[in-house]
Amino acid sequence: MNIKKPVLCCTSITKFFSGVIALDKVNFNLFPGEIHGLLGENGAGKSTLIKCLTGVYLPDHGDIYYEGKRVVFAAPSEARNRGISTVYQEINLIQTLSVAENIFAGRQPLSKGRINWKKINERSRELLAMLDLDIDVTALLSEYSTAVQQMVAIARSLDISAKVLILDEPTSSLDEDEAHMLFNVIRKLRNEGMAIVFISHFLDQVLELCDTLTILRNGESVGEYRANEISKHELIIKMLGKKLAAFENRVAELNSSDESKKDVFYSVRSMSRRKSMKHFDLDLKKGEVLGLAGLLGSGRTEIARLLFGIDKPHSGNTVIKGVSGSVLSPKNAVRHSFGYCPEDRKLEGLIPCLTIRENIVLALQVKKGLLKYISLKKQRKIAEKFMQLVSIKAPSCEENVSRLSGGNQQKVIIARWLAANPEFLILDEPTRGIDVGAKFEIQKLILKFRDLGMSILFISSELDELVRCCDRVAVLRDRKKITEYTGRSLCSEKIMATIAHVTSEAEDGNLL
Amino acid sequence: MELKTIKNYIPLFATIFVFILIYTMGAMLYDNFLSLRVFLNLFLDNAFVGVIAVGMTFVILSGGIDLSVGSVVAFVCILSAKLLEVYQINPFLVVLVCLLFGVFLGTVMGAVIHFFAVPDFLVTLVGMFLCRGLAYMVDLQSIPIRDELFLAVNTMGINFGGGVNFRLISIIFIMVWAAGVYVSHYTRFGRNIYALGGDVVSANLMGIPIGKTRILVYTMSSTLAALGGLLYAVYTLSGYAAAAQGLELDAIAAVVIGGTLLTGGVGFVEGTMVGVLILGLIQTFISFQGTLSSWWTNIIIGLLIFSFILLQRFLSLRSDTDQK
Ligand SMILES: Nc1ncnc2c1ncn2[C@@H]1O[C@H](COP(=O)(O)OP(=O)(O)OP(=O)(O)O)[C@@H](O)[C@H]1O
Ligand SMILES: [Mg+2]
């Protein structure tokens, strides 16, 4: 490997954002035939480094060398044309175009000077088949779930006969099987000599997949390591710059509450909605975290939407705080003191042109009524408190949310709902894209709010996380509630077995 | 681009349905409404609006708007009349100059919009005032056109006998429209426009040349507006600086009725043809009716646009809640 020359490398890249340093003299070497992991906390500068390398941002200092020559990419299209293929962190596709067109936009195959749609659709099907995805490629992208869209974005990047493939958190919306399918493709490409950059907060995935690791901390490069020479523990210490003492134990310790005598807050009987969820019963108790486990598309988000009144059920009875009645609309839900932190922050959650403070107090303001003024000073105090609680990395609470790193944006949404202090809170994949340290803090917060009497519905693809935080876990499969685990029977092996029960069947339907 | 992306087609079907509805109503109420002549006249009378609407479709698809087209028509129309009649310049040269003016204006407006990040609305509003002012500077009076080429183009056409003539002006309109349809489906430039209108940030990160695309869209719109001005001059055989007031709004109306979303990214050049024909049909209807004032045209167009916007809103809301 040492004799080889790097295909892409950069020397002392520095990038400022309005005076604040985001990258500080970072060196990075990428060799052909390697999978290079890029690690760091939220806001460490991973995405910024990628964007500097691919022409989205112009670095303030430093040089980039591609295939031995110094280059300056003025636009992403230039980097792409030279053979650097990138999947950026937020899924960047166009909702109003078909799946196939999204894969080929900007480089449609031509025959006799005109776009060959037949070829586009055929090639798209082939590419998605590589990721084991069989969908109608002529349908609009917006018809599909986040996971499918993420796969489509990956498929798009695979098509070019690229020399470098950069993947910024490609697996954040994927479940384990899908991620492994992707890894096989990545390995194959590596063996063919492609150089691959892989960014993820799933440390296990990174250690499994990568050959080399570069760690960033606060915009500085901590060092480069061989993946087989470093342990997960060391990795965390290097990323955070400190020890995460007794990481696992402390959560386990917190997670011990007496189950039996809690009041039921919200109870649902035989609720269903055509095409989205089969009949299910659910009880949410005060001061309890109820987990929802299942593959993507098993109905987890659908339940959340039904409970919050976004979708109307076609059947079912609900009792809220002992009074029967139903949640008619999200507005109605907020009046019942419900909160909902959705899965897709880009589409449904954040308002990018507002500041952190404004985004955090939003739900609180709605709950209080729009006319009741919360003084600016008080807003600041609330915002700052929660910024600290969920460790949002930003210069101040008056920073625009669009300027935050992906993980920090996610934290703002969580902070918003915690600040509103609802009686019932739905968290759909709240820790997606969040670094290990902050994940732990957020899990702790969830338990803290539970102990204060909040009822929480916690949706997650990570079983460890569910087992650690939940008092009870309901397992879903194929849009049906299969069973619940409580107390001693709650362990990831059992959940896993239940989820995987009819694998072949589940695979067909799980993505749509 | 198969029919699977059905949601995007619903407004188009609705437009075609409305067209057939009005046509049937006219045919039932009035004799002669269903004649070939009335039908062909729809293309002739709306040729210049149609040409402009095709350009406007691309602008709106790209997520922008072009308010300058009406004034460009007026300016080109008076300029060509003045050059032909007062300065006696070769008509081919006049056509070339007018089209080049369109290319220039559009490129400048597009470049300002893109590089200085000024809202398209403002830049083309400036273009609108500028061209209207220029038109008045050329001449305040109406200038009749007697140039032989223009006269010839005015009358030229395919004769169907019985005084029914499919005029060259209409054919040019249909050709422009067909070219527009082709560009929108089968060229990278056309598809990049859709991508741009769908989501600029994503389009940029996907490596689509957004600057080039955006500028070219305005170049195309202004050039087609200049062509529309020439057609207008040929059609009316005169140049008048106060002509084509509010034409940009007619063009936008035709595009919206044709099923293109004002927010960009969704719509079809095909639909714009139907939109233009509907506008023409309403006017024909009212002229057949005879007693209604022509303002009824505006009222009906207003109602139509309103119902189309409601339809689109309804469709997008439904698809949001239906999402799996
Ligand atoms: N467009 C921008 N304007 C201003 N500041 C920015 C901008 N983009 C990023 N930053 C800042 O630069 C820093 C690095 O952000 P970056 O997105 O690279 O982090 P990251 O390592 O990718 O984190 P994550 O894991 O959350 O995605 C952050 O502090 C962020 O606030
Ligand atoms: Mg990032």
Side-chain angles (χ1 to χ4, degrees), chain B residues 75-92:
Chain B
F75 174 64
V76 164
C77 175
I78 187 86
L79 181 73
S80 58
K82 182 101 173 186
L83 292 180
L84 287 170
E85 301 306 321
V86 180
Y87 299 108
Q88 300 290 332
I89 293 176
N90 180 310
F92 289 105

Side-chain angles (χ1 to χ4, degrees), chain A residues 168-400:
Chain A
D168 194 349
E169 294 195 30
T171 54
S172 61
S173 311
L174 304 187
D175 63 31
E176 219 151 298
D177 288 343
E178 291 160 346
H180 280 104
M181 193 62 80
L182 172 65
F183 294 168
N184 289 337
V185 176
I186 293 179
R187 286 197 191 97
K188 203 174 124 231
L189 293 172
R190 174 203 44 202
N191 296 342
E192 287 165 6
M194 198 185 268
I196 292 146
V197 179
F198 182 78
I199 300 178
S200 175
H201 289 293
F202 298 113
L203 299 183
D204 295 327
Q205 290 186 355
V206 172
L207 286 171
E208 177 196 333
L209 183 69
C210 297
D211 306 312
T212 324
L213 304 173
T214 293
I215 299 176
L216 294 179
R217 192 198 310 145
N218 286 328
E220 288 176 49
S221 168
V222 176
E224 198 183 295
Y225 308 89
R226 307 280 314 152
N228 48 16
E229 289 164 10
I230 192 166
S231 72
K232 188 171 166 188
H233 191 67
E234 285 172 280
L235 211 61
I236 293 174
I237 294 173
K238 294 229 153 62
M239 271 170 65
L240 305 186
K242 60 175 186 241
K243 277 198 178 161
L244 248 188
F247 176 65
E248 307 281 337
N249 298 348
R250 276 172 66 189
V251 183
E253 202 177 288
L254 284 162
N255 185 15
S256 54
S257 58
D258 57 318
E259 178 52 31
S260 48
K261 41 187 188 290
K262 279 178 183 164
D263 300 337
V264 174
F265 173 74
Y266 185 4
S267 124
V268 171
R269 286 289 167 272
S270 73
M271 186 182 263
S272 77
R273 180 179 155 86
R274 253 172 277 132
K275 283 203 279 183
S276 86
M277 197 62 210
K278 295 181 188 134
H279 293 264
F280 67 94
D281 299 344
L282 212 60
D283 285 319
L284 290 139
K285 295 177 189 160
K286 256 181 134 50
E288 178 197 58
V289 184
L290 170 64
L292 285 186
L295 293 173
L296 291 164
S298 57
R300 300 174 309 178
T301 302
E302 285 75 2
I303 288 193
R305 291 172 67 97
L306 284 169
L307 292 182
F308 199 65
I310 301 171
D311 295 332
K312 310 249 167 330
H314 291 127
S315 75
N317 305 315
T318 43
V319 179
I320 303 163
K321 288 185 246 178
V323 185
S324 82
S326 54
V327 183
L328 301 169
S329 66
K331 213 165 121 195
N332 191 244
V334 171
R335 211 166 291 148
H336 281 300
S337 193
F338 289 10
Y340 177 40
C341 172
E343 175 182 32
D344 190 339
R345 65 167 170 268
K346 199 180 168 196
L347 286 180
E348 309 177 50
L350 277 180
I351 304 175
C353 52
L354 296 186
T355 65
I356 301 177
R357 169 181 56 80
E358 287 165 325
N359 265 294
I360 289 182
V361 295
L362 200 67
L364 186 65
Q365 184 78 66
V366 171
K367 195 178 148 201
K368 280 204 165 179
L370 287 175
L371 295 177
K372 294 223 180 65
Y373 179 69
I374 307 172
S375 78
L376 200 62
K377 212 172 125 202
K378 203 163 164 208
Q379 289 187 22
R380 284 230 175 89
K381 232 176 93 192
I382 295 169
E384 267 155 20
K385 180 179 143 205
F386 279 92
M387 272 176 77
Q388 212 201 347
L389 274 180
V390 298
S391 62
I392 295 170
K393 183 175 175 260
S396 83
C397 67
E398 298 301 329
E399 184 80 351
N400 230 311

Side-chain angles (χ1 to χ4, degrees), chain A residues 56 76-77 80 88 92-94 96 101-102 106 108 114-115 117 121 136 138 140 142 156 273 311 512, chain B residues 1-2 4-5 8 182 185-188 191-192 194-195 198 202 204-208 266 321 323-324:
Chain A
V56 181
S77 51
R80 201 199 69 193
Y88 295 96
N92 282 291
L93 293 174
I94 292 159
T96 51
E101 186 162 13
N102 265 294
Q108 295 91 342
R114 56 182 271 175
I115 292 177
W117 285 103
N121 293 338
D136 177 5
T138 59
L140 288 182
S142 57
R156 175 181 165 83
R273 180 179 155 86
D311 295 332
L512 310 169
Chain B
M1 280 327 303
E2 286 166 30
K4 293 284 173 45
T5 43
N8 286 358
Y182 182 85
H185 287 297
Y186 293 111
T187 64
R188 282 196 190 151
R191 300 315 301 174
N192 287 349
Y194 279 85
S202 292
N204 182 35
L205 290 179
M206 285 165 95
I208 286 164
V266 180
T321 47
Q323 211 181 55
K324 291 167 215 166

Side-chain angles (χ1 to χ4, degrees), chain A residues 46-48 89 168-169 199 405-407:
Chain A
K46 304 179 295 294
S47 300
T48 307
Q89 182 170 11
D168 194 349
E169 294 195 30
I199 300 178
S405 79

Side-chain angles (χ1 to χ4, degrees), chain B:
Chain B
M1 280 327 303
E2 286 166 30
L3 275 169
K4 293 284 173 45
T5 43
I6 202 94
K7 205 184 86 204
N8 286 358
Y9 283 86
I10 291 176
L12 181 61
F13 294 146
T15 312
I16 295 173
F17 176 74
V18 168
F19 179 75
I20 294 172
L21 192 77
I22 301 177
Y23 216 104
T24 331
M25 261 165 58
M28 285 192 318
L29 287 174
Y30 309 109
D31 303 338
N32 296 334
F33 200 92
L34 204 62
S35 68
L36 185 61
R37 168 189 257 139
V38 170
F39 184 68
L40 291 183
N41 275 349
L42 279 181
F43 292 90
L44 175 68
D45 297 335
N46 298 290
F48 63 99
V49 193
V51 167
I52 292 163
V54 169
M56 187 67 81
T57 312
F58 285 109
V59 176
I60 291 178
L61 279 176
S62 80
I65 196 88
D66 187 353
L67 298 178
S68 69
V69 288
S71 302
V72 172
V73 166
F75 174 64
V76 164
C77 175
I78 187 86
L79 181 73
S80 58
K82 182 101 173 186
L83 292 180
L84 287 170
E85 301 306 321
V86 180
Y87 299 108
Q88 300 290 332
I89 293 176
N90 180 310
F92 289 105
L93 197 63
V94 171
V95 170
L96 188 70
V97 166
C98 289
L99 292 179
L100 282 180
F101 168 76
V103 173
F104 174 75
L105 178 77
T107 312
V108 170
M109 290 197 303
V112 172
I113 290 167
H114 181 70
F115 291 114
F116 300 109
V118 189
D120 39 36
F121 179 83
L122 288 181
V123 175
T124 56
L125 192 69
V126 171
M128 169 174 142
F129 280 112
L130 193 78
C131 290
R132 186 65 71 179
L134 285 176
Y136 283 118
M137 271 174 62
V138 174
D139 211 314
L140 289 173
Q141 248 63 53
S142 153
I143 306 173
I145 297 176
R146 296 199 179 69
D147 177 78
E148 272 168 23
L149 180 78
F150 275 50
L151 276 173
V153 173
N154 178 294
T155 47
M156 211 180 280
I158 304 166
N159 216 320
F160 284 96
V164 182
N165 195 354
F166 192 34
R167 301 255 285 274
L168 182 60
I169 300 178
S170 325
I171 297 173
I172 293 177
F173 163 39
I174 292 172
M175 276 165 43
V176 166
W177 169 76
V181 170
Y182 182 85
V183 167
S184 73
H185 287 297
Y186 293 111
T187 64
R188 282 196 190 151
F189 169 60
R191 300 315 301 174
N192 287 349
I193 295 174
Y194 279 85
L196 184 65
D199 186 340
V200 201
V201 179
S202 292
N204 182 35
L205 290 179
M206 285 165 95
I208 286 164
I210 53 169
K212 199 176 98 188
T213 309
R214 188 182 272 150
I215 293 170
L216 272 179
V217 161
Y218 286 94
T219 309
M220 191 159 76
S221 171
S222 290
T223 310
L224 286 177
L227 178 63
L230 288 168
L231 289 181
Y232 191 75
V234 170
Y235 174 63
T236 59
L237 286 176
S238 72
Y240 185 39
Q245 301 272 9
L247 185 65
E248 58 281 345
L249 302 182
D250 287 339
I252 295 171
V255 174
V256 172
I257 292 176
T260 299
L261 277 180
L262 268 178
T263 44
V266 180
F268 298 98
V269 182
E270 289 91 322
T272 299
M273 171 63 95
V274 189
V276 170
L277 293 183
I278 286 181
L279 292 192
L281 206 56
I282 295 169
Q283 273 157 0
T284 313
F285 200 98
I286 281 163
S287 69
F288 263 79
Q289 212 279 339
T291 56
L292 283 177
S293 108
S294 68
W295 292 110
W296 276 100
T297 318
N298 296 24
I299 293 170
I300 296 172
I301 292 171
L303 287 176
L304 265 182
I305 295 177
F306 183 62
S307 43
F308 270 86
I309 289 172
L310 279 189
L311 173 73
Q312 289 172 348
R313 191 77 208 121
F314 172 73
L315 285 176
S316 67
L317 274 184
R318 233 196 34 183
S319 70
D320 283 353
T321 47
D322 266 8
Q323 211 181 55
K324 291 167 215 166

Side-chain angles (χ1 to χ4, degrees), chain A residues 15-18 20-23 39-51 57 89-90 168-169 199 201 216 219 345 393-395 399-400 402-409 411 433-435:
Chain A
K15 177 77 194 167
F16 290 93
F17 284 115
S18 48
V20 183
I21 198 157
L23 286 178
L39 290 165
E41 279 180 283
N42 295 131
K46 304 179 295 294
S47 300
T48 307
L49 178 61
I50 296 310
K51 288 183 176 170
Y57 299 144
Q89 182 170 11
E90 302 294 338
D168 194 349
E169 294 195 30
I199 300 178
H201 289 293
L216 294 179
R345 65 167 170 268
K393 183 175 175 260
E399 184 80 351
N400 230 311
S402 60
R403 300 233 182 108
L404 296 185
S405 79
N408 282 311
Q409 293 186 358
K411 292 177 194 168
I434 284 182
D435 66 54

